[in-house]
Amino acid sequence: MSKVYKSSTYRAGVAAALLSSALVGGLAATAPLAAIVPAQAEAVHVSGHAEFGFADVVEKVGPAVVSVRVKGIASQTADEDSAMPGLDQLPEGMQRFFGQRDTQQHKAPRDQNKPERIRPTAQGSGFFISEDGYLVTNNHVVEDGSAYTVVLNDGTELDAKLVGKDRRTDLAVLKVDDKRKFSYVGFGGDEKVRVGEWVVAVGNPFGLGGTVTAGIVSASGRDIGAGPYDDFIQIDAAVNKGNSGGPAFNLNGDVVGVNTAIFSPSGGSVGIGFAIPAQTAKLVVDQLIKSGSVPRGWIGVQIQPVSKEIADSLGLAKEEGALVAEPQADGPAAKAGVAAGDVITAVNGDTVSDPRDLAKKIAAVEAGKDVELTVWRDGKAKAVNVAIKAMPGDDTVAAATPQDAKPSALDDFGLTVMPSEDGKGLVVTNVDQDGDAADKGISAGDIIVSVNNQPVKSGKEIESAFAEAAKTGRKAVLLQIQSRDQSRFVGLPINQQG
């Protein structure tokens, strides 16, 4: 089964530790070499054949790439791979590159009266971005650490301190205090990397030390399900466990991405790697150096994409915007009057294409400022002013039904429902697996809260809502579904209504 790996942390006692993933730097016996393809690769004639090489670029940027060793509190359990932070947040088949975790067995049970020992727990890659010792790596490399060491490409080991980290983009900044001036590399410009461009990935795969691989940009703007700010570059340069936190360079020697995850059936490279774009990394890194954290705007809404059926049910011409499934109580959006069922189509006049786009636009607004949201409600656009707040830090199934309630069958849609005990909505008691409801993910135990943004308490009210929608020419109706602790909207087509 395919998995997506974060770079694993080093396992103590393993002679050659696994390389951290693109974002995590690996602990290595030899320091990692950096490699970048020259701005214009020079043709070298060997035995009558013309060959292109990246040696000049690698020689130029190599001293800026380092291995990152992380130490933390030793665990009392032997195998902690299942506890890799963030691994369960990625979709099936995707893994971030964790440095290999230390799973060496203790020969005797730990004495509870003795203090916990600090020992190596992870390793990854990183790179200097300033001559005074600031360097970039991944959050998942350093987040469990209490002490950090960087290994230069000449083998020199230096202590580092954590400046700041950001879980949402999986980036972190370390600082080495030393009198020397460090070789460093810079991020690429504001222009987006182009599909088909050459890239060179540098890191510490499988603990082998400095390793350089080359490939091309396969795609951009990838959403791998890691979070609301997904916008990854996909590259086919080989990246493996231990490459995490390492840079991907263009032919000019500029950092165009920070390696963070791969898609792989086995955990090894199959030519599908993901890197955080330079533009994102630069903004986050600058904020981490400035304040140690990344302030983001927040309006407090649970959102979902607008499907074709949902667009049809609301009278929207396009499948664009972000549908508000539920505004958080006392959140900025709720206080401003944003309601469940609204579709946010623009922020300060700038069109919102999808939920990811909305998340990025809101996150970029400074707390304390107001924004004008354009929302689609009751068949027309409306402007709502919302006061942005700072994003908070990271840190019930269906109600029972009354005995005397009788189920109501909505056969045309493959649903059987009955009133909930608290009178708020209808409990789905049965779903025909061949019906439209099953196709839309509705299951027994879900609660239908409203239809076309109107509360419902009986099956007849649902039937009436469908009939009314058909009269007005709508092709679908909008159902608000409460499932466990989450609310979402589902568009059901009404062309099968008899």
Side-chain angles (χ1 to χ4, degrees):
M1 181 177 292
S2 297
K3 295 184 178 179
V4 173
Y5 296 89
K6 278 190 175 180
S7 19
S8 1
T9 49
Y10 253 134
R11 294 181 183 275
V14 178
L18 296 180
L19 263 185
S20 317
S21 70
L23 288 188
V24 178
L27 183 64
T30 61
L33 286 177
I36 294 181
V37 182
Q40 296 180 344
E42 297 181 358
V44 179
H45 295 276
V46 180
S47 301
H49 298 285
E51 297 184 358
F52 291 93
F54 306 108
D56 288 344
V57 177
V58 174
E59 183 178 351
K60 171 185 174 183
V61 302
V65 183
V66 301
S67 292
V68 179
R69 297 178 181 177
V70 181
K71 294 182 179 180
I73 301 297
S75 171
Q76 296 184 40
T77 59
D79 189 354
E80 297 184 356
D81 276 352
S82 61
M84 290 180 182
L87 187 60
D88 58 346
Q89 299 173 6
L90 290 173
E92 183 178 348
M94 301 294 297
Q95 292 186 1
R96 290 203 188 278
F97 301 118
F98 276 98
Q100 186 177 1
R101 294 281 174 183
D102 182 2
T103 59
Q104 184 180 14
Q105 295 279 357
H106 292 292
K107 295 183 178 180
R110 189 176 71 82
D111 187 343
Q112 298 296 325
N113 295 320
K114 292 183 178 180
E116 293 177 301
R117 293 186 296 112
I118 302 295
R119 70 179 185 187
T121 58
Q123 71 173 357
S125 303
F127 55 97
F128 283 110
I129 57 169
S130 69
E131 67 177 13
D132 58 346
Y134 284 100
L135 66 99
V136 176
T137 185
N138 284 138
N139 171 73
H140 74 260
V141 175
V142 303
E143 65 179 341
D144 292 330
S146 57
Y148 313 95
T149 302
V150 299
V151 184
L152 308 186
N153 71 339
D154 63 0
T156 302
E157 297 185 12
L158 299 170
D159 291 336
K161 63 181 180 181
L162 180 65
V163 174
K165 56 186 179 180
D166 180 50
R167 289 189 62 188
R168 290 180 172 90
T169 55
D170 198 19
L171 289 166
V173 175
L174 298 175
K175 177 69 163 62
V176 176
D177 290 322
D178 195 83
K179 294 181 179 180
R180 75 182 71 192
K181 291 184 178 181
F182 295 97
S183 296
Y184 65 94
V185 291
F187 290 107
D190 293 334
E191 67 281 356
K192 286 192 175 182
V193 65
R194 298 173 61 199
V195 175
E197 286 187 12
W198 276 104
V199 288
V200 178
V202 182
N204 178 39
F206 303 113
L208 297 174
T211 298
V212 176
T213 56
I216 64 169
V217 175
S218 304
S220 61
R222 288 299 198 203
D223 179 357
I224 64 173
Y229 309 113
D230 279 17
D231 187 23
F232 292 101
I233 299 168
Q234 180 182 328
I235 64 177
D236 71 352
V239 287
N240 290 283
K241 293 183 178 181
N243 278 116
S244 281
F249 296 99
N250 63 14
L251 297 182
N252 295 320
D254 298 322
V255 177
V256 297
V258 182
N259 298 323
T260 185
I262 59 170
F263 183 88
S264 173
S266 62
S269 174
V270 294
I272 302 179
F274 301 96
I276 303 165
Q279 294 86 353
T280 299
K282 186 177 187 305
L283 289 173
V284 171
V285 166
D286 287 347
Q287 290 175 319
L288 290 176
I289 292 175
K290 180 179 178 180
S291 62
S293 62
V294 182
R296 291 186 174 93
W298 175 76
I299 59 174
V301 288
Q302 180 183 323
I303 52 179
Q304 67 179 76
V306 176
S307 65
K308 184 180 185 303
E309 290 82 4
I310 289 175
D312 289 342
S313 71
L314 295 174
L316 282 167
K318 296 181 179 180
E319 301 164 35
E320 289 184 344
L323 176 63
V324 178
E326 186 175 9
Q328 182 172 323
D330 298 325
K335 290 180 178 179
V338 175
D342 287 347
V343 177
I344 301 175
T345 59
V347 176
N348 288 335
D350 190 6
T351 301
V352 171
S353 59
D354 54 34
R356 274 201 305 159
D357 189 29
L358 176 63
K360 292 175 185 177
K361 284 179 167 61
I362 295 299
V365 180
E366 185 179 341
K369 291 187 176 181
D370 289 353
V371 296
E372 181 185 87
L373 302 181
T374 303
V375 302
W376 183 262
R377 180 189 300 170
D378 298 330
K380 57 185 178 182
K382 178 181 180 180
V384 178
N385 290 318
V386 179
I388 300 295
K389 287 188 177 180
M391 180 178 290
D394 291 319
D395 325 52
T396 345
V397 190
T401 56
Q403 294 295 326
D404 58 352
K406 294 182 179 181
S408 173
L410 302 172
D411 295 331
D412 290 319
F413 305 99
L415 280 175
T416 303
V417 298
M418 64 171 52
S420 64
E421 186 177 43
D422 60 6
K424 297 179 180 180
L426 296 165
V427 179
V428 177
T429 59
N430 188 55
V431 179
D432 181 353
Q433 295 305 306
D434 294 325
D436 286 341
D439 289 342
K440 300 301 179 183
I442 299 175
S443 59
D446 288 348
I447 299 176
I448 300 174
V449 178
S450 68
V451 178
N452 287 342
N453 293 319
Q454 298 299 316
V456 291
K457 299 180 181 179
S458 68
K460 289 184 178 180
E461 291 180 346
I462 293 181
E463 292 172 349
S464 297
F466 274 86
E468 184 64 28
K471 288 180 182 179
T472 60
R474 295 285 175 84
K475 298 179 181 179
V477 294
L478 190 68
L479 273 61
Q480 184 180 7
I481 306 294
Q482 187 73 33
S483 180
R484 297 186 177 89
D485 293 328
Q486 290 191 337
S487 178
R488 62 190 174 95
F489 284 89
V490 171
L492 275 184
I494 61 176
N495 55 2
Q496 295 185 17
Q497 182 79 352

PDB file of all heavy atoms in Angstrom, residues 19-48:
ATOM      1  N   LEU A  19      17.820   8.541   5.569  1.00  0.00           N
ATOM      2  CA  LEU A  19      17.823   9.960   5.202  1.00  0.00           C
ATOM      3  C   LEU A  19      16.501  10.576   5.569  1.00  0.00           C
ATOM      4  O   LEU A  19      15.478  10.026   5.284  1.00  0.00           O
ATOM      5  CB  LEU A  19      17.968  10.072   3.690  1.00  0.00           C
ATOM      6  CG  LEU A  19      19.368  10.314   3.198  1.00  0.00           C
ATOM      7  CD1 LEU A  19      19.351  10.522   1.722  1.00  0.00           C
ATOM      8  CD2 LEU A  19      19.983  11.507   3.876  1.00  0.00           C
ATOM      9  N   SER A  20      16.514  11.770   6.141  1.00  0.00           N
ATOM     10  CA  SER A  20      15.268  12.472   6.416  1.00  0.00           C
ATOM     11  C   SER A  20      14.657  12.860   5.109  1.00  0.00           C
ATOM     12  O   SER A  20      15.330  13.041   4.144  1.00  0.00           O
ATOM     13  CB  SER A  20      15.500  13.732   7.237  1.00  0.00           C
ATOM     14  OG  SER A  20      16.407  13.469   8.239  1.00  0.00           O
ATOM     15  N   SER A  21      13.321  13.087   5.099  1.00  0.00           N
ATOM     16  CA  SER A  21      12.660  13.447   3.866  1.00  0.00           C
ATOM     17  C   SER A  21      13.077  14.809   3.451  1.00  0.00           C
ATOM     18  O   SER A  21      13.820  15.470   4.119  1.00  0.00           O
ATOM     19  CB  SER A  21      11.170  13.443   4.073  1.00  0.00           C
ATOM     20  OG  SER A  21      10.847  14.505   4.893  1.00  0.00           O
ATOM     21  N   ALA A  22      12.524  15.246   2.330  1.00  0.00           N
ATOM     22  CA  ALA A  22      12.944  16.515   1.756  1.00  0.00           C
ATOM     23  C   ALA A  22      12.956  17.606   2.759  1.00  0.00           C
ATOM     24  O   ALA A  22      13.781  18.474   2.722  1.00  0.00           O
ATOM     25  CB  ALA A  22      12.012  16.880   0.622  1.00  0.00           C
ATOM     26  N   LEU A  23      12.030  17.596   3.723  1.00  0.00           N
ATOM     27  CA  LEU A  23      11.999  18.697   4.668  1.00  0.00           C
ATOM     28  C   LEU A  23      12.871  18.458   5.874  1.00  0.00           C
ATOM     29  O   LEU A  23      13.231  19.391   6.566  1.00  0.00           O
ATOM     30  CB  LEU A  23      10.569  18.942   5.139  1.00  0.00           C
ATOM     31  CG  LEU A  23       9.682  19.576   4.089  1.00  0.00           C
ATOM     32  CD1 LEU A  23       8.363  19.947   4.688  1.00  0.00           C
ATOM     33  CD2 LEU A  23      10.323  20.747   3.430  1.00  0.00           C
ATOM     34  N   VAL A  24      13.166  17.205   6.228  1.00  0.00           N
ATOM     35  CA  VAL A  24      13.954  16.957   7.418  1.00  0.00           C
ATOM     36  C   VAL A  24      15.380  16.638   7.054  1.00  0.00           C
ATOM     37  O   VAL A  24      15.621  15.789   6.220  1.00  0.00           O
ATOM     38  CB  VAL A  24      13.388  15.764   8.188  1.00  0.00           C
ATOM     39  CG1 VAL A  24      14.231  15.481   9.383  1.00  0.00           C
ATOM     40  CG2 VAL A  24      11.977  16.056   8.606  1.00  0.00           C
ATOM     41  N   GLY A  25      16.322  17.295   7.681  1.00  0.00           N
ATOM     42  CA  GLY A  25      17.716  17.041   7.360  1.00  0.00           C
ATOM     43  C   GLY A  25      18.173  15.805   8.079  1.00  0.00           C
ATOM     44  O   GLY A  25      17.774  15.569   9.188  1.00  0.00           O
ATOM     45  N   GLY A  26      19.041  15.013   7.484  1.00  0.00           N
ATOM     46  CA  GLY A  26      19.437  13.778   8.109  1.00  0.00           C
ATOM     47  C   GLY A  26      20.727  13.895   8.865  1.00  0.00           C
ATOM     48  O   GLY A  26      21.571  14.703   8.578  1.00  0.00           O
ATOM     49  N   LEU A  27      20.901  13.056   9.878  1.00  0.00           N
ATOM     50  CA  LEU A  27      22.135  12.994  10.650  1.00  0.00           C
ATOM     51  C   LEU A  27      23.115  12.153   9.849  1.00  0.00           C
ATOM     52  O   LEU A  27      22.792  11.075   9.410  1.00  0.00           O
ATOM     53  CB  LEU A  27      21.823  12.321  11.971  1.00  0.00           C
ATOM     54  CG  LEU A  27      22.961  12.214  12.945  1.00  0.00           C
ATOM     55  CD1 LEU A  27      23.422  13.576  13.390  1.00  0.00           C
ATOM     56  CD2 LEU A  27      22.551  11.444  14.143  1.00  0.00           C
ATOM     57  N   ALA A  28      24.289  12.636   9.629  1.00  0.00           N
ATOM     58  CA  ALA A  28      25.170  11.902   8.741  1.00  0.00           C
ATOM     59  C   ALA A  28      26.586  11.870   9.237  1.00  0.00           C
ATOM     60  O   ALA A  28      27.050  12.777   9.887  1.00  0.00           O
ATOM     61  CB  ALA A  28      25.135  12.524   7.354  1.00  0.00           C
ATOM     62  N   ALA A  29      27.297  10.785   8.892  1.00  0.00           N
ATOM     63  CA  ALA A  29      28.700  10.691   9.250  1.00  0.00           C
ATOM     64  C   ALA A  29      29.484  11.727   8.475  1.00  0.00           C
ATOM     65  O   ALA A  29      30.447  12.284   8.959  1.00  0.00           O
ATOM     66  CB  ALA A  29      29.209   9.301   8.937  1.00  0.00           C
ATOM     67  N   THR A  30      29.060  11.974   7.254  1.00  0.00           N
ATOM     68  CA  THR A  30      29.679  13.041   6.465  1.00  0.00           C
ATOM     69  C   THR A  30      28.650  14.112   6.238  1.00  0.00           C
ATOM     70  O   THR A  30      27.485  13.825   6.069  1.00  0.00           O
ATOM     71  CB  THR A  30      30.152  12.489   5.111  1.00  0.00           C
ATOM     72  OG1 THR A  30      29.040  11.987   4.398  1.00  0.00           O
ATOM     73  CG2 THR A  30      31.200  11.425   5.302  1.00  0.00           C
ATOM     74  N   ALA A  31      29.111  15.350   6.193  1.00  0.00           N
ATOM     75  CA  ALA A  31      28.160  16.448   6.047  1.00  0.00           C
ATOM     76  C   ALA A  31      27.541  16.413   4.666  1.00  0.00           C
ATOM     77  O   ALA A  31      28.140  15.968   3.713  1.00  0.00           O
ATOM     78  CB  ALA A  31      28.873  17.771   6.262  1.00  0.00           C
ATOM     79  N   PRO A  32      26.255  16.915   4.538  1.00  0.00           N
ATOM     80  CA  PRO A  32      25.578  16.871   3.243  1.00  0.00           C
ATOM     81  C   PRO A  32      26.162  17.848   2.247  1.00  0.00           C
ATOM     82  O   PRO A  32      26.511  18.944   2.595  1.00  0.00           O
ATOM     83  CB  PRO A  32      24.156  17.267   3.595  1.00  0.00           C
ATOM     84  CG  PRO A  32      24.285  18.008   4.872  1.00  0.00           C
ATOM     85  CD  PRO A  32      25.492  17.511   5.554  1.00  0.00           C
ATOM     86  N   LEU A  33      26.244  17.429   1.019  1.00  0.00           N
ATOM     87  CA  LEU A  33      26.698  18.317  -0.042  1.00  0.00           C
ATOM     88  C   LEU A  33      25.494  18.973  -0.669  1.00  0.00           C
ATOM     89  O   LEU A  33      24.474  18.362  -0.855  1.00  0.00           O
ATOM     90  CB  LEU A  33      27.429  17.511  -1.126  1.00  0.00           C
ATOM     91  CG  LEU A  33      28.821  17.015  -0.778  1.00  0.00           C
ATOM     92  CD1 LEU A  33      29.348  16.191  -1.934  1.00  0.00           C
ATOM     93  CD2 LEU A  33      29.759  18.190  -0.496  1.00  0.00           C
ATOM     94  N   ALA A  34      25.626  20.245  -1.091  1.00  0.00           N
ATOM     95  CA  ALA A  34      24.528  20.908  -1.778  1.00  0.00           C
ATOM     96  C   ALA A  34      24.826  20.875  -3.257  1.00  0.00           C
ATOM     97  O   ALA A  34      25.946  20.991  -3.675  1.00  0.00           O
ATOM     98  CB  ALA A  34      24.423  22.329  -1.302  1.00  0.00           C
ATOM     99  N   ALA A  35      23.762  20.760  -4.031  1.00  0.00           N
ATOM    100  CA  ALA A  35      24.006  20.746  -5.454  1.00  0.00           C
ATOM    101  C   ALA A  35      23.003  21.581  -6.181  1.00  0.00           C
ATOM    102  O   ALA A  35      21.853  21.530  -5.897  1.00  0.00           O
ATOM    103  CB  ALA A  35      23.913  19.329  -5.958  1.00  0.00           C
ATOM    104  N   ILE A  36      23.456  22.364  -7.150  1.00  0.00           N
ATOM    105  CA  ILE A  36      22.566  23.148  -7.984  1.00  0.00           C
ATOM    106  C   ILE A  36      23.057  23.092  -9.411  1.00  0.00           C
ATOM    107  O   ILE A  36      24.237  23.141  -9.662  1.00  0.00           O
ATOM    108  CB  ILE A  36      22.520  24.598  -7.532  1.00  0.00           C
ATOM    109  CG1 ILE A  36      21.892  24.674  -6.177  1.00  0.00           C
ATOM    110  CG2 ILE A  36      21.773  25.444  -8.526  1.00  0.00           C
ATOM    111  CD1 ILE A  36      21.799  26.055  -5.676  1.00  0.00           C
ATOM    112  N   VAL A  37      22.140  23.023 -10.330  1.00  0.00           N
ATOM    113  CA  VAL A  37      22.538  22.990 -11.718  1.00  0.00           C
ATOM    114  C   VAL A  37      22.984  24.376 -12.138  1.00  0.00           C
ATOM    115  O   VAL A  37      22.355  25.343 -11.770  1.00  0.00           O
ATOM    116  CB  VAL A  37      21.354  22.558 -12.597  1.00  0.00           C
ATOM    117  CG1 VAL A  37      21.773  22.486 -14.046  1.00  0.00           C
ATOM    118  CG2 VAL A  37      20.844  21.240 -12.114  1.00  0.00           C
ATOM    119  N   PRO A  38      24.047  24.509 -12.895  1.00  0.00           N
ATOM    120  CA  PRO A  38      24.496  25.827 -13.311  1.00  0.00           C
ATOM    121  C   PRO A  38      23.409  26.538 -14.099  1.00  0.00           C
ATOM    122  O   PRO A  38      22.595  25.917 -14.741  1.00  0.00           O
ATOM    123  CB  PRO A  38      25.689  25.531 -14.220  1.00  0.00           C
ATOM    124  CG  PRO A  38      26.006  24.099 -14.049  1.00  0.00           C
ATOM    125  CD  PRO A  38      24.855  23.433 -13.415  1.00  0.00           C
ATOM    126  N   ALA A  39      23.442  27.865 -14.044  1.00  0.00           N
ATOM    127  CA  ALA A  39      22.436  28.643 -14.760  1.00  0.00           C
ATOM    128  C   ALA A  39      22.373  28.174 -16.203  1.00  0.00           C
ATOM    129  O   ALA A  39      21.320  28.023 -16.787  1.00  0.00           O
ATOM    130  CB  ALA A  39      22.768  30.112 -14.694  1.00  0.00           C
ATOM    131  N   GLN A  40      23.507  27.952 -16.791  1.00  0.00           N
ATOM    132  CA  GLN A  40      23.552  27.389 -18.125  1.00  0.00           C
ATOM    133  C   GLN A  40      24.524  26.226 -18.069  1.00  0.00           C
ATOM    134  O   GLN A  40      25.731  26.416 -17.979  1.00  0.00           O
ATOM    135  CB  GLN A  40      24.020  28.418 -19.152  1.00  0.00           C
ATOM    136  CG  GLN A  40      23.058  29.604 -19.310  1.00  0.00           C
ATOM    137  CD  GLN A  40      23.564  30.579 -20.336  1.00  0.00           C
ATOM    138  OE1 GLN A  40      24.720  30.538 -20.706  1.00  0.00           O
ATOM    139  NE2 GLN A  40      22.685  31.467 -20.772  1.00  0.00           N
ATOM    140  N   ALA A  41      23.969  25.022 -18.071  1.00  0.00           N
ATOM    141  CA  ALA A  41      24.812  23.840 -17.935  1.00  0.00           C
ATOM    142  C   ALA A  41      25.830  23.803 -19.065  1.00  0.00           C
ATOM    143  O   ALA A  41      25.494  23.982 -20.237  1.00  0.00           O
ATOM    144  CB  ALA A  41      23.950  22.580 -17.956  1.00  0.00           C
ATOM    145  N   GLU A  42      27.092  23.595 -18.702  1.00  0.00           N
ATOM    146  CA  GLU A  42      28.146  23.591 -19.708  1.00  0.00           C
ATOM    147  C   GLU A  42      28.325  22.193 -20.285  1.00  0.00           C
ATOM    148  O   GLU A  42      28.262  21.193 -19.572  1.00  0.00           O
ATOM    149  CB  GLU A  42      29.468  24.054 -19.083  1.00  0.00           C
ATOM    150  CG  GLU A  42      29.424  25.491 -18.580  1.00  0.00           C
ATOM    151  CD  GLU A  42      30.750  25.910 -17.997  1.00  0.00           C
ATOM    152  OE1 GLU A  42      31.666  25.066 -17.962  1.00  0.00           O
ATOM    153  OE2 GLU A  42      30.880  27.063 -17.587  1.00  0.00           O
ATOM    154  N   ALA A  43      28.531  22.131 -21.559  1.00  0.00           N
ATOM    155  CA  ALA A  43      28.749  20.840 -22.217  1.00  0.00           C
ATOM    156  C   ALA A  43      30.199  20.424 -22.022  1.00  0.00           C
ATOM    157  O   ALA A  43      31.120  21.178 -22.305  1.00  0.00           O
ATOM    158  CB  ALA A  43      28.422  20.939 -23.707  1.00  0.00           C
ATOM    159  N   VAL A  44      30.385  19.222 -21.511  1.00  0.00           N
ATOM    160  CA  VAL A  44      31.735  18.696 -21.299  1.00  0.00           C
ATOM    161  C   VAL A  44      31.929  17.507 -22.226  1.00  0.00           C
ATOM    162  O   VAL A  44      31.139  16.558 -22.208  1.00  0.00           O
ATOM    163  CB  VAL A  44      31.930  18.262 -19.834  1.00  0.00           C
ATOM    164  CG1 VAL A  44      33.331  17.706 -19.649  1.00  0.00           C
ATOM    165  CG2 VAL A  44      31.700  19.438 -18.907  1.00  0.00           C
ATOM    166  N   HIS A  45      32.960  17.546 -23.054  1.00  0.00           N
ATOM    167  CA  HIS A  45      33.186  16.464 -24.016  1.00  0.00           C
ATOM    168  C   HIS A  45      34.059  15.380 -23.396  1.00  0.00           C
ATOM    169  O   HIS A  45      35.167  15.624 -22.962  1.00  0.00           O
ATOM    170  CB  HIS A  45      33.844  17.008 -25.285  1.00  0.00           C
ATOM    171  CG  HIS A  45      32.966  17.949 -26.043  1.00  0.00           C
ATOM    172  ND1 HIS A  45      32.011  17.515 -26.946  1.00  0.00           N
ATOM    173  CD2 HIS A  45      32.865  19.306 -26.004  1.00  0.00           C
ATOM    174  CE1 HIS A  45      31.376  18.555 -27.456  1.00  0.00           C
ATOM    175  NE2 HIS A  45      31.874  19.659 -26.906  1.00  0.00           N
ATOM    176  N   VAL A  46      33.493  14.204 -23.319  1.00  0.00           N
ATOM    177  CA  VAL A  46      34.234  13.066 -22.784  1.00  0.00           C
ATOM    178  C   VAL A  46      34.166  11.934 -23.804  1.00  0.00           C
ATOM    179  O   VAL A  46      33.075  11.479 -24.166  1.00  0.00           O
ATOM    180  CB  VAL A  46      33.631  12.591 -21.447  1.00  0.00           C
ATOM    181  CG1 VAL A  46      34.424  11.401 -20.922  1.00  0.00           C
ATOM    182  CG2 VAL A  46      33.651  13.731 -20.439  1.00  0.00           C
ATOM    183  N   SER A  47      35.328  11.501 -24.264  1.00  0.00           N
ATOM    184  CA  SER A  47      35.403  10.409 -25.235  1.00  0.00           C
ATOM    185  C   SER A  47      34.486  10.648 -26.425  1.00  0.00           C
ATOM    186  O   SER A  47      33.770   9.759 -26.892  1.00  0.00           O
ATOM    187  CB  SER A  47      35.032   9.080 -24.554  1.00  0.00           C
ATOM    188  OG  SER A  47      35.901   8.827 -23.474  1.00  0.00           O
ATOM    189  N   GLY A  48      34.441  11.901 -26.842  1.00  0.00           N
ATOM    190  CA  GLY A  48      33.650  12.211 -28.022  1.00  0.00           C
ATOM    191  C   GLY A  48      32.186  12.439 -27.749  1.00  0.00           C
ATOM    192  O   GLY A  48      31.418  12.704 -28.669  1.00  0.00           O
TER     193      GLY A  48
END
